[in-house]
Amino acid sequence: MTLALLFPGQGSQSVGMGAALADAFVSAREVFAEVDEALGFKLSQMMREGPEEQLTLTENAQPALMAVSLAAVRVLKVEFGVDVTRAAFVAGHSLGEYSALCAVGAISLSDTARLLKLRGQAMQRAVPVGRGAMASLIGPKTDLALAEAAAKAGSEVGVCVVANDNNAGNIVISGEKAAVDRAIEKAKELGARAIPLNVSAPFHCPLMQPAADEMATALAGATIVAPAVPVVANVTARPETDPEVIRRLLVEQVTGRVRWRESMEWMATEGGVTRFAEIGSGKVLTGMAKRIAPDAESLPLNTPEELEAFARSL
């Protein structure tokens, strides 16, 4: 069995996430306390109690999702003796890449929390509310070629690009609202369903350049060391271990495409991964893994019971 650990991105947050881990394990509570201290406020209380509209804010959702993932990582190691170095690769969807890097020791927990808080704030500041939009193109006819054609049509009236190549049948476009609206029309003409997303900003497109500039400054001052396990990067869809390359790719990731389908395909084929475990809140990446790599086992690691069963299976 060759294992890869996957770390979820924005959209997987929910009020109450991490509560079962905190209630069951001191090691999980310690992670949440360290994140609270790094941020200077009780994010863990917001995660447990809400309100949902505050937790969903990008600047809160990003460190919160990381905190749940890292609490699960800590529980696996402290309670069940399972270290992340059992994995051949780690990968994270968008903000989840920071979770992955923290899990394998490339960035400290406190630095990761602060970087993600800033990342969320910077992404929100980059584009005035209402100027940008994102849409999910779905359905059996949806593939990268269709999405690229839709984005090209949209780009005739403004910025519009493929933002997330999640899997066949689920691709996200991002850009200026008028351009995304035009792309939606084109996608429907080509046979895809198109769903406008309720997001606060157009992520992973050139409009995010001001946020990328802010993150470049922040990351330049951050300590990044070689990860204990290769991290399959969103931007390259290939494993990376060089700290300076990782630093550069984290900046490029803000405006660049999340090449998730390619990342998963590489791990399942070239990387020989036969088991994908999504560690943290939700099951979004588990569902994607089952569609991209149907021959591999895919499972979520979120609850105390799931973590214990996983540890026993190794």
Side-chain angles (χ1 to χ4, degrees), residues 6 277-278 282-291 298-301:
L6 310 178
E278 177 180 8
K283 302 179 181 179
V284 173
L285 300 184
T286 303
M288 290 184 191
K290 290 177 178 178
R291 289 186 286 272
S298 302
L299 67 157
L301 299 180

Side-chain angles (χ1 to χ4, degrees), residues 252-265:
E252 293 179 13
Q253 187 218 57
V254 178
T255 57
R257 180 181 302 177
V258 176
R259 296 169 61 184
W260 192 253
R261 174 186 56 81
E262 294 175 71
S263 297
M264 293 292 293
E265 288 176 347

